[in-house]
Every structure is written in C-alpha cells, then in structure tokens.
Amino acid sequence: MTASSATAIPGIDLNSDLGEGFGRWSLGDDDRMLAVVSSANVACGFHAGDPATMRRTVCGAVARGVTIGAHVAYRDLAGFGRRTMDVPSDELRADIVYQLGALQAVAAAEGTRVRYVKPHGALYNTAATDARVAEDVAAAVAAVDPTLVVLGLPGSVALDAAADAGLATAAEAFADRAYTTAGTLVPRGEPGAVLDDAQVVADRVLRLVTSGLVTAVDGTDVAVHADSVCVHGDTPGAVAMAERVRSVLADAGVRLRPFVGDA
Amino acid sequence: MTASSATAIPGIDLNSDLGEGFGRWSLGDDDRMLAVVSSANVACGFHAGDPATMRRTVCGAVARGVTIGAHVAYRDLAGFGRRTMDVPSDELRADIVYQLGALQAVAAAEGTRVRYVKPHGALYNTAATDARVAEDVAAAVAAVDPTLVVLGLPGSVALDAAADAGLATAAEAFADRAYTTAGTLVPRGEPGAVLDDAQVVADRVLRLVTSGLVTAVDGTDVAVHADSVCVHGDTPGAVAMAERVRSVLADAGVRLRPFVGDA
Amino acid sequence: MTASSATAIPGIDLNSDLGEGFGRWSLGDDDRMLAVVSSANVACGFHAGDPATMRRTVCGAVARGVTIGAHVAYRDLAGFGRRTMDVPSDELRADIVYQLGALQAVAAAEGTRVRYVKPHGALYNTAATDARVAEDVAAAVAAVDPTLVVLGLPGSVALDAAADAGLATAAEAFADRAYTTAGTLVPRGEPGAVLDDAQVVADRVLRLVTSGLVTAVDGTDVAVHADSVCVHGDTPGAVAMAERVRSVLADAGVRLRPFVGDA
Amino acid sequence: MTASSATAIPGIDLNSDLGEGFGRWSLGDDDRMLAVVSSANVACGFHAGDPATMRRTVCGAVARGVTIGAHVAYRDLAGFGRRTMDVPSDELRADIVYQLGALQAVAAAEGTRVRYVKPHGALYNTAATDARVAEDVAAAVAAVDPTLVVLGLPGSVALDAAADAGLATAAEAFADRAYTTAGTLVPRGEPGAVLDDAQVVADRVLRLVTSGLVTAVDGTDVAVHADSVCVHGDTPGAVAMAERVRSVLADAGVRLRPFVGDA
C-alpha cells in the first residue's frame, strides 16, 4: 500500500475471492476460507454473488473480523466475468458504481463497510494493461468513496490510474503463481506457470513476506512488492493450500493483518 | 408524511416513475417529466434501469432539483416487475438492500443522495396487503438507512410496517384513478377505474390538494390523505396530463415541494 | 404412460434432473447419474443450464443411451425456478416453446431429439393443480411437437390438460418420498415426508415396480401408478441412493427402459 | 445467393431487424416494417426479443408472407449485443444453436419455419473478419439445419466460412451506407458514412438492383453484389426511408422476393 509504514513485526494480508455462488449454486468453501484470509473480495452480482449470497458472505466476514472488498466485474453471469468485453466508458463506470454501492448497502445493513475494490477476471486483466479501462475503474471508485483502496497487480496501469485519481493502492502477489525475472507473472499456459505443491507455495509466501524476494522460474531471486497475497478457495486442494500458507506464516510469527488500515 | 405540519400556503409533491429504460430501450419521456415532478422514483436495475440509465436519470434529477427515490422491484426484467413472485424473506430483503445501495452509490457519485423508497409494480401491490412482504421491505430499508421515507398507499400495510420499523412514511394519491366511497382505488378493470381527461384529472388533483376531498365514483365526496400525487409519463398522453396537473396547480398558487423535507 | 401395454418382464424408467449447472457452476454429478437413469430431464436455460452445459448434458445422454426430456421452468435463474411466479398465459406459453426449441436444436446438433417434457420446480407444482397453467404447458408442448410426452404427477391436472391437448402422458413416482393412504405425496415439511435410507428407498421402488404398491405412512398398502420413478442426484448421498435403486432393480431382473417408446 | 439464377424480371430482397423489443420495451415500428420487407431478421432473446415478442414478430411475418431469419447475437441484453465479447468456441457455438432452436420452435408453433441466419451487431462485425468466430457461426448453423442460408457482408469471412461448411450464403448491401471504391462500407464515424436523404437512398438501391452499381464516395461507380438490401426501422425516419425504398422499387417494376427460394 502506498502509505504503508515499516514495522518491526512482519505482517501481511491474505485475500481471496469469496461469495462466488449464485442462487442455488455455490463455489468453493467460504467458511473455511474466511478462517484463512484477512481480506475478502466479495462478488457483487455481475459475475457471481446474488444479494442473499452477498449478505451471507458479509456476515461471515464480520464474524471472522475479515475486511471486505468489492470484487467488481463485467456484467457476464454466463461467463463468470472471464470473457473480455468491450464496454464503453460511461457504461463501465456506471456498472462499477452500481456493484460497489450494492455491496456497500449490504455491508451497512450488517454494521460494517467496504474498504477496498478489486476488479475481477477479465476486468482485472484488462485494467492491468489498458489505460482507458483502468481510468474508468479508478474514476468510478473515486466518485463513490475516495477513501477506498484499489487492489491490483504491482506496476499495473490499474494501480497507476488509481493513484492518479487520488486513491490509495495496494499491490498483490499470487501465492500459487511463478514469476519471471522481471517480477511479473509467468503467463498461464506456459510450463510451470501455476504451482501445485502446498508446502512449496507456503514457503515461497513466507520468504516473500519476510525478505521481499521470490525465486523466479530461472532460479534467480527477484524482488516482488506485495501488500497482500492472493490465495484461492475454489477447489478442496486450493483451500488446503491456503490453510498451509496461513499456518506456515503463523508458525514463523508473521501476523496476518488487512492491508487497509483502520480508519 | 407522518410528521408533516400544516402550512398556510398549500403545497404538494408530484412523483413519477423515471429511468425505466434498459440498455438500448427507453420508456416515456424522462426529460419532460423531470420538468413536471418534484420527486423521481428511479428504477434500480431489477425491473428496469441499467446503471448507465440510472446515472442519466439521477443527473437529470439533480439538474432539475428533483428529489430522488429508489423504485425497488422484484428481479424480473422480462416481466418489468409486474408479475407477482413468491420470494422468501431473506432473498427479498437482500434484493431490496442491493437495489437501494446501487442507487445510493449512483447518487453519491453525482453529489446527491436517495431520500425515499417506493416499491414498484407487483412488489408495490403485494406489500400493500401482505404483512410479511411489507415487513421485509421495511426491514431492508431501515437496515440500510433509517432516515429514508417509505412512499405508499395510504392505509396500506406497507406504510404500517414501515412505521413499525421506525421509518417515516408518506401517502400517495393517484392522479388518474377513480376512488371508492371508502377512499380506496377503484380496481383496474372496473368501469371508470382510470380517468383519461387531462383537465378533469388536473381539477381533481387541485381539489384534493386544497380541500383533501375527491369525488368518489358514486358522486359523493370522500376524504383522501396524500403527501404526494403520482403522475405517469410512459405515453405522450400521460406526459401531457402530468403537465396539465402541474400547470393547474401552479395557476392556483399551489407550491410544488418534495414530500421529504430537507435534512 | 397412457398407451403402455402390459409386459411379461417387468420394466421401469428412472428419470432425474440433469444439466442443472450454469456457466462456472455445476450441480450434482451428472456423469454418475447418467449411468443410473434411463431418462434425463435436461435444464433449458431458464432455471439452470446455459447452452454449453446443455450440449454437454445431451452428449452424455447420447453416449449412455439415455432418453432426453426438456425440463422447462419459469424464467428465474436467481431462484432456480423454485419461486412461484404469476406469468400470463401468452408469456408462459412462449417461454415454454422457447426453452423446448432451444433444447431440440441442441439435441439435433448432436444427432438426437427431445422425447418428452417435464415442468420444473414451481412450474411443476403449479401445473399440478392450476388448470390454466397446466393448459398453457400442454398447449405450448402440443404446438411445438404433438409427439412429445408430458411427464408429471399421476392424477394431476398437468396430465389431464396434456391428455386433453392430445398429448401422451407419463406418470412418475418419487423414490424418496412418503405417500398418503390416498396415494398422494406427503407434503414436504411434514414428519417422514422424505426418506433417507437408501436400502429402504430401493426396496420400496422395487415393490412399486413389481406390485404397483407402496406402503403408506400409516403402514397400509396403497396402489401407485408409475411409468417412471424420479431419483435425485444433487448431493453425493442422493447419487448413492439412486445407484442403490438401480442395482436393487437390476438384481431383481427389472429392466430399465425409457417410458417413451421408440418411434 | 450462391445458387441464384438470372431472371428476366429484376427482383430483390429487403431485410430488416425486427422483434427487437424485450418485455415491456419496444423498438421501432415492426408493423410498418413488415409491410416493407420480404425477410425479417428476428431477435432470438440474447440481445433482444423475449419469447412472447418473438412469437408476435413471427405471427406478423406469417400474416405478411415475410420470410423468417434468426438474428443471433452475443448474450448481452444490457449492451444490445453491440459490445464485442471474447466468447470461447464451445460457448459461442452452443449459444447460436440455442437461439436458433428457440426461434425454430416459435416458428413451428405458428406453422412456419426459419430459413436463414444473420449474426447481429458485434457478432456480425466480428464474424465478418475473424475466421474462428465465422467458423463457429457456420458450424453451429450447419449442425442444426444444413438447409439454412447465412446472410452477411459480401466477401466477408462469415460467408466464406459458411460456404466451407456447406451452407448456402447470401450477400447483403446496406441501403443507407456509403461505399468505398473497393466496394466496402465506409466505416461509421467517417464523414458521409451514413446517408440520410430517403430519395437519394431509394434511388441508389434501385440502381444497385438494376445495374449492380453503386456510386462510391469519390463519385466513381463500383460494382456491389447483393442478394438482399438491409433497411432499418428503429426510428420514424428510418421507417419512412425504408418505405421510400420499397415504393421506388415497386414503381420501377422491381419485384420484392425473399432471397431464400421456396424449398
């Protein structure tokens, strides 16, 4: 996070996508993941997350003391927000305002509030490289609440645009992804892009948190800045990996703390 | 409105359903209607009103000084929210919180805020007589913002439930509808239920505002309490009728004022 | 089925709801259930079942030699078609024609065809007792293809209306439901309405198939006519129960056969 | 159309997008346009066209003797199918099969059938240049009914892919669009891309039909092949222009005839 200060005791945030069911359908094990993470990216109804599911997710986060973020997306339930769409700025901005406000009211009704925004899926990927889309996201967030933090890829135009709009930003690393020597993610589809050994993943996260270093695909060390580490919970194996990450961090004395400071 | 006080200069609110387009589709003439009414019931995306349309409607209301209300509905785009649905309480409450929050954020992004809630279509009708649904609406509104006012049919369980939940309420009359001797609406489908002569309608509204009386279907006078009068704008004829109502009121020195007082 | 003839070797159809995922979300274990049933009620997109899921379900049915039926529903993805909706006849009929045609084309593209129609959820329940809705379903099916069979509750107005429209009908029993002495289902919510012991359920189905009798809740025998027996697959326990039913029938020499005869 | 033969009496097809309302919303004047065109591109529910609207459109076409085509689109009601989406092949093919089948059943229920397919909006544009998408459209159409004709831009990969899939194709010109000297459309947004003088447009269509020539933007003549001419009906001015085109053709003795020959 741009304004984070150094602390003696190392700490880190773990974030995960939660509340990604819709109506009759559920996805992943939100209960177990709420015991792992410190920040919950809550689906807002456009790629997943009907209102009643949103409410249950927010209630679970409140009960666990987990910070709530809005996981905003393209309007694409059938494609789970993973299909790139060419949405004009006025529509995209309004779509983000709408989703954000919907979650804010769900949170308010449960006595809490939304603290950050993370774009989902295709919107996350597009906002990471497309300045116009990044500006749309930033402008929508800033218009609703300028104290919201935007969570995204370090060095992405999404974070640049957010900072330009006067928003605080937070950079995230991905627990189960390999990194290039440039400190960027190895693209999905390339060999070794996704790591599947829970212990290896947990050890990498611990090293990242304590030293700021990750072993890149060529074996060299690369510096990666992260205010938060993203873990997944959409399969039983993913949940177990996230739990391993948490326990390895705990055993090493790393404190889990939301990347958004208390107001 | 429950707490309204008598004033020397007669005043009344005119409300209308606005922003009822969706994407490529528009409905009615919002520009002309925003010049007529003092309160706009803005569709929130479940029966009509995509986010970009909501934003345009809110911008228009801001430009005209028109008060903004959330026109919440069943999730039924194909049926325009007019089909009765048996929605469990937890889903209905969450649906209302969601829609209300979405409009709140759209309003906040334009520097204004939502002041009242009016259920739409089948939800309006059901909440008028079904205590469980009325309580769901009231509870959802109160959970989001207890300063919101609920607009509905005088004597309806919708207003009773809102009052029980600690919310202010406002009663509306319908400009173009006939009344029984009991002061209730003549059901649609019965002869003479809907009036179509703009001058007759305007004169009735003026009498209602200045005397609190309406001529019932049998020719006798009946007392009708109204904090607001609902006018329609979904056809060219309806817009012209609404304009006539406004001009007859203006000519008689009746001041148009939102039923929600400034905070 | 109205025109079914007696046979020396007992046979029965097993049907189940399949293809009830949507986009990213899945429900139940269709692969295992396709190995159990002889007829698949395939969701058509209104309560579940996006087009790609429909195609996968149809392909699986073709590979297993399972007969395909259209599981038509109210347009209610968020409520999984389980919420009663008051849909006017012209809309309901068109909705059913639409869903049926969509599945017919998916089937045609895979070299097979739809043989029957079973209403889903709230539409099933409403069509069982509401003559207008039952007539809408029957009229829609007959208009698209008068050789389609309507599957429903024995003695229901859904089957009466289908027969009146010139359609063949088939009656189904429910493997895991208790029956009254009148041969009707014990309403959900009453004690003992749903059976959960797989062996008990399988034995009851066998007795029903071989003798036409079921033990009612009061311990007496009641005659139940069934051309098909509905089994569920939406939980691991349900799948195991369905597999038990099939194996008990097989061990007893009962032949599984679709209730729709080959043309 | 690839197999069209020369005739002594000149004839042409006029096609238009119809049935583009959804639920409460209508678009354009379908009744007047059905008196103008010989082929109706009927929306199938993904960008517009709920089932009841589809039925009304098909009934109107039957009453007027207008040929019915399926106007298939991306699943994007909020964007009216005009936003480019990156839809994987298996999903896109299934989406097209689904829409096509839905309209086939609506047509069958009214005693007629679908004769051709025209992609809509962003899908039309993408299929015109993107071979993968063009192949998806062609494969979906061929899988459902290989006698269907694909209507598209002359020289587009959409028509190439359709021909490769064994389908008949038909090329369309646009009545109100300017052409380059290469015989392609002047891109929207460039000066003079869209013509708005009804008489000029009608005279150009007549010349195209009788001589195969269009005056390009630089004043030279360019040959344009068209089996059908697309006219619009989404504004009162567009309807009047379409009517002018029809009357100018009629006065010149040009016979209106569907581009799909009777089977």
Side-chain angles (χ1 to χ4, degrees):
Chain A
M1 191 160 169
T2 48
S4 65
S5 57
T7 57
I9 307 164
I12 190 67
D13 177 74
L14 294 181
N15 80 78
S16 192
D17 303 343
L18 295 177
E20 291 197 316
F22 188 81
R24 176 73 178 82
W25 302 287
S26 57
L27 192 67
D29 189 334
D30 280 10
D31 285 341
R32 279 174 66 190
M33 289 303 290
L34 281 168
V36 169
V37 300
S38 39
S39 295
N41 317 317
V42 181
C44 298
F46 272 39
H47 78 283
D50 65 288
T53 294
M54 290 166 70
R55 183 181 168 276
R56 280 191 302 273
T57 308
V58 165
C59 287
V62 168
R64 290 285 192 173
V66 171
T67 295
I68 293 165
H71 207 197
V72 297
Y74 288 128
R75 184 194 281 265
D76 181 18
L77 272 183
F80 200 65
R82 289 181 172 168
R83 307 186 293 197
T84 303
M85 294 176 68
D86 188 15
V87 181
S89 284
D90 61 331
E91 296 172 17
L92 181 55
R93 292 179 184 208
D95 283 355
I96 291 168
V97 168
Y98 183 98
Q99 294 174 75
L100 183 43
L103 183 62
Q104 284 179 318
V106 172
E110 302 305 323
T112 188
R113 63 194 186 90
V114 178
R115 303 300 300 273
Y116 69 95
V117 175
K118 176 177 171 176
H120 162 82
L123 181 59
Y124 185 92
N125 294 333
T126 305
T129 58
D130 183 319
R132 194 222 85 195
V133 170
E135 286 163 21
D136 289 336
V137 172
V141 173
V144 174
D145 177 359
T147 73
L148 289 164
V149 181
V150 172
L151 177 61
L153 218 49
S156 63
V157 299
L159 297 197
D160 292 345
D164 289 347
L167 298 166
T169 62
E172 69 175 340
F174 289 84
D176 65 351
R177 294 292 296 275
Y179 281 80
T180 69
T181 54
T184 62
L185 298 174
V186 174
R188 283 181 190 278
E190 292 195 12
V194 179
L195 309 174
D196 55 11
D197 184 303
Q199 189 61 44
V200 168
V201 164
D203 291 342
R204 283 168 62 91
V205 171
L206 177 59
R207 184 166 184 242
L208 169 67
V209 170
T210 52
S211 73
L213 295 176
V214 168
T215 306
V217 279
D218 71 346
T220 61
D221 281 349
V222 58
V224 169
H225 172 67
D227 302 298
S228 181
V229 175
C230 184
V231 292
H232 300 300
D234 51 353
T235 64
V239 175
M241 181 184 284
E243 289 170 337
R244 183 75 63 89
V245 169
R246 175 162 178 139
S247 75
V248 165
L249 292 175
D251 291 348
V254 176
R255 192 167 67 89
L256 236 63
R257 59 178 184 208
F259 64 87
V260 186
D262 287 323
Chain B
M1 192 158 169
T2 47
S4 66
S5 55
T7 57
I9 307 165
I12 190 68
D13 176 74
L14 294 181
N15 81 78
S16 191
D17 303 343
L18 295 177
E20 291 197 315
F22 188 82
R24 176 72 177 84
W25 301 287
S26 58
L27 192 67
D29 189 333
D30 280 10
D31 285 340
R32 278 174 67 189
M33 288 303 290
L34 281 168
V36 169
V37 299
S38 39
S39 294
N41 317 316
V42 181
C44 297
F46 272 39
H47 78 283
D50 64 288
T53 294
M54 291 166 69
R55 181 180 169 276
R56 280 192 300 273
T57 308
V58 165
C59 288
V62 168
R64 289 285 192 172
V66 171
T67 295
I68 293 165
H71 206 196
V72 297
Y74 288 128
R75 183 195 282 265
D76 181 18
L77 271 184
F80 200 65
R82 289 181 171 166
R83 306 187 293 197
T84 302
M85 294 177 67
D86 188 15
V87 181
S89 283
D90 61 331
E91 297 172 17
L92 181 56
R93 291 180 186 208
D95 282 356
I96 292 168
V97 168
Y98 184 98
Q99 293 175 75
L100 183 43
L103 183 63
Q104 285 180 318
V106 171
E110 301 305 323
T112 188
R113 62 192 187 93
V114 178
R115 303 300 299 274
Y116 70 94
V117 176
K118 175 176 170 177
H120 163 80
L123 181 58
Y124 185 92
N125 294 332
T126 305
T129 58
D130 183 319
R132 196 223 83 197
V133 170
E135 286 163 21
D136 288 336
V137 172
V141 173
V144 174
D145 177 358
T147 73
L148 288 164
V149 181
V150 172
L151 177 62
L153 217 50
S156 64
V157 299
L159 296 198
D160 292 345
D164 289 347
L167 298 166
T169 62
E172 69 175 340
F174 288 85
D176 65 350
R177 294 291 296 276
Y179 281 80
T180 69
T181 54
T184 61
L185 298 174
V186 175
R188 282 179 189 279
E190 292 194 10
V194 179
L195 309 174
D196 55 10
D197 183 306
Q199 190 61 43
V200 168
V201 164
D203 291 341
R204 283 168 62 91
V205 171
L206 177 59
R207 185 167 183 240
L208 168 66
V209 170
T210 52
S211 73
L213 296 176
V214 169
T215 307
V217 279
D218 71 347
T220 61
D221 281 349
V222 57
V224 170
H225 172 67
D227 302 298
S228 181
V229 174
C230 184
V231 292
H232 300 298
D234 51 353
T235 63
V239 175
M241 181 186 284
E243 290 170 337
R244 183 74 64 89
V245 169
R246 174 161 179 141
S247 75
V248 164
L249 291 175
D251 292 347
V254 176
R255 193 168 66 89
L256 237 63
R257 58 177 185 208
F259 64 87
V260 186
D262 286 322
Chain C
M1 191 161 168
T2 48
S4 65
S5 55
T7 57
I9 307 164
I12 191 68
D13 176 75
L14 293 180
N15 81 77
S16 191
D17 303 343
L18 295 176
E20 292 197 316
F22 189 80
R24 177 73 179 83
W25 302 287
S26 58
L27 191 68
D29 189 334
D30 280 10
D31 285 341
R32 278 174 67 189
M33 288 304 289
L34 282 167
V36 169
V37 300
S38 39
S39 294
N41 317 317
V42 181
C44 298
F46 273 38
H47 77 285
D50 64 287
T53 294
M54 290 167 70
R55 183 182 168 273
R56 281 193 300 273
T57 307
V58 164
C59 287
V62 168
R64 289 285 193 172
V66 170
T67 295
I68 293 165
H71 206 196
V72 297
Y74 288 127
R75 183 195 281 265
D76 182 18
L77 271 183
F80 200 65
R82 288 180 172 169
R83 306 188 293 197
T84 302
M85 295 177 68
D86 189 14
V87 181
S89 283
D90 60 330
E91 297 172 16
L92 181 55
R93 292 181 185 206
D95 283 356
I96 292 168
V97 167
Y98 184 97
Q99 294 175 75
L100 183 44
L103 183 62
Q104 284 180 318
V106 172
E110 302 305 324
T112 187
R113 63 194 186 91
V114 179
R115 304 300 299 274
Y116 69 95
V117 176
K118 175 177 171 176
H120 163 82
L123 182 58
Y124 185 91
N125 294 333
T126 305
T129 58
D130 183 318
R132 195 223 84 194
V133 170
E135 285 164 21
D136 288 337
V137 172
V141 173
V144 174
D145 177 359
T147 73
L148 289 163
V149 180
V150 172
L151 177 61
L153 217 50
S156 63
V157 299
L159 297 197
D160 291 345
D164 288 348
L167 298 166
T169 62
E172 68 175 341
F174 289 85
D176 65 351
R177 292 293 294 277
Y179 281 81
T180 69
T181 53
T184 61
L185 298 174
V186 174
R188 283 180 189 279
E190 292 194 12
V194 179
L195 310 174
D196 56 11
D197 183 306
Q199 190 61 45
V200 168
V201 164
D203 290 341
R204 283 168 62 91
V205 172
L206 178 59
R207 184 164 184 243
L208 169 66
V209 171
T210 52
S211 73
L213 295 176
V214 169
T215 306
V217 279
D218 71 347
T220 61
D221 280 349
V222 57
V224 170
H225 172 67
D227 301 300
S228 181
V229 175
C230 185
V231 291
H232 300 299
D234 50 354
T235 63
V239 175
M241 181 185 284
E243 290 170 337
R244 184 73 64 89
V245 168
R246 176 162 177 139
S247 76
V248 164
L249 291 175
D251 292 348
V254 176
R255 193 167 66 88
L256 237 63
R257 59 178 184 209
F259 65 87
V260 186
D262 287 322
Chain D
M1 192 161 168
T2 48
S4 65
S5 56
T7 57
I9 307 165
I12 191 67
D13 176 75
L14 294 180
N15 80 78
S16 191
D17 304 342
L18 295 177
E20 291 197 316
F22 188 81
R24 175 74 178 81
W25 301 287
S26 57
L27 192 67
D29 189 333
D30 280 11
D31 284 341
R32 278 174 67 189
M33 288 303 289
L34 282 168
V36 169
V37 300
S38 39
S39 294
N41 317 317
V42 181
C44 298
F46 272 38
H47 77 284
D50 65 287
T53 294
M54 290 166 70
R55 182 180 168 274
R56 279 193 300 272
T57 308
V58 165
C59 287
V62 168
R64 289 286 193 170
V66 171
T67 295
I68 293 165
H71 207 196
V72 297
Y74 288 127
R75 183 195 282 264
D76 181 19
L77 271 184
F80 200 64
R82 288 180 173 167
R83 306 188 292 198
T84 302
M85 295 177 68
D86 188 14
V87 181
S89 283
D90 61 329
E91 296 172 17
L92 182 55
R93 292 181 185 207
D95 282 356
I96 292 168
V97 167
Y98 184 97
Q99 294 175 75
L100 184 43
L103 183 62
Q104 285 180 318
V106 171
E110 302 305 323
T112 187
R113 64 195 187 90
V114 178
R115 303 301 300 273
Y116 70 95
V117 176
K118 176 177 171 175
H120 163 82
L123 181 59
Y124 185 92
N125 293 333
T126 306
T129 58
D130 183 318
R132 195 223 85 194
V133 170
E135 286 164 20
D136 289 337
V137 173
V141 174
V144 174
D145 176 359
T147 73
L148 288 164
V149 181
V150 172
L151 177 62
L153 218 47
S156 63
V157 299
L159 297 197
D160 291 346
D164 289 347
L167 297 166
T169 62
E172 68 175 341
F174 289 85
D176 65 350
R177 294 292 295 276
Y179 280 81
T180 69
T181 54
T184 61
L185 298 174
V186 174
R188 284 180 188 278
E190 293 194 12
V194 179
L195 310 174
D196 55 11
D197 183 306
Q199 189 61 45
V200 168
V201 164
D203 290 342
R204 283 168 62 91
V205 172
L206 177 60
R207 186 169 183 238
L208 169 67
V209 171
T210 53
S211 72
L213 296 175
V214 168
T215 306
V217 279
D218 71 347
T220 61
D221 281 348
V222 57
V224 169
H225 172 67
D227 302 299
S228 181
V229 175
C230 184
V231 291
H232 301 299
D234 50 354
T235 63
V239 174
M241 181 185 284
E243 290 170 338
R244 184 74 64 89
V245 169
R246 175 160 178 143
S247 75
V248 164
L249 291 176
D251 291 348
V254 176
R255 193 168 66 89
L256 238 63
R257 59 178 184 208
F259 65 87
V260 186
D262 288 321

